[in-house]
Amino acid sequence: MATKNLTEKSRATAVEAIAKSGEFEYGVNYSISAGKLLRLQCTVNRVKKVDEREDRIYSGVMTLENTGNQSMSFPADVEPAPHVAYLQTIIAEVKAEIQA
């Protein structure tokens, strides 16, 4: 039998979710371990219907690290304030779900 070099320190659960608000769709990916939120990433897309199909227009990305650091990146023509506010709603919902 081969020598084992790795010792597992933790195991995380990855979750993929979608939230919609108005014409925006928020693709949310987050991971949890031992009842704590480790990382959350939220990709923002504007969704427009064009001839019975949906066009997704990239509108930004926001992340939260377990250290409490948040980072955001938006194209120059996108107003970030409503998305940042919605991110706080998403984070609160995820944390409430973890504690349930």
Side-chain angles (χ1 to χ4, degrees), residues 1-3 5 17 19 25 36 40 43 47 50-51 58 62 65 67 69 71 74 76 82 84 93 98 100:
M1 177 175 211
T3 302
N5 295 307
E25 183 177 280
K36 291 187 177 184
L40 182 142
T43 303
V47 180
V50 179
D51 297 329
Y58 173 78
M62 304 175 284
E65 298 291 335
T67 58
N69 291 335
S71 61
F74 293 94
V84 173
E93 187 173 328
I98 292 170

Side-chain angles (χ1 to χ4, degrees), residues 23-41:
E23 63 184 349
F24 291 96
E25 183 177 280
Y26 299 83
V28 181
N29 294 291
Y30 62 93
S31 59
I32 56 176
S33 178
K36 291 187 177 184
L37 178 61
L38 300 178
R39 184 171 199 279
L40 182 142
Q41 179 176 2

Side-chain angles (χ1 to χ4, degrees), residues 40-80:
L40 182 142
Q41 179 176 2
C42 181
T43 303
V44 184
N45 288 295
R46 174 181 245 143
V47 180
K48 290 188 173 186
K49 291 204 177 217
V50 179
D51 297 329
E52 296 186 30
R53 68 180 175 90
E54 291 182 341
D55 269 351
R56 284 179 167 61
I57 302 161
Y58 173 78
S59 298
V61 65
M62 304 175 284
T63 60
L64 170 71
E65 298 291 335
N66 66 346
T67 58
N69 291 335
Q70 293 183 15
S71 61
M72 293 142 200
S73 177
F74 293 94
D77 63 341
V78 173
E79 173 57 42

Side-chain angles (χ1 to χ4, degrees), residues 5-19:
N5 295 307
L6 297 175
T7 301
E8 186 173 309
K9 293 175 68 176
S10 67
R11 188 174 292 240
T13 301
V15 180
E16 182 178 341
I18 293 177

Side-chain angles (χ1 to χ4, degrees), residues 84-98:
V84 173
Y86 197 69
L87 175 66
Q88 300 312 310
T89 301
I90 290 170
I91 292 169
E93 187 173 328
V94 167
K95 286 183 175 180
E97 185 68 28
I98 292 170

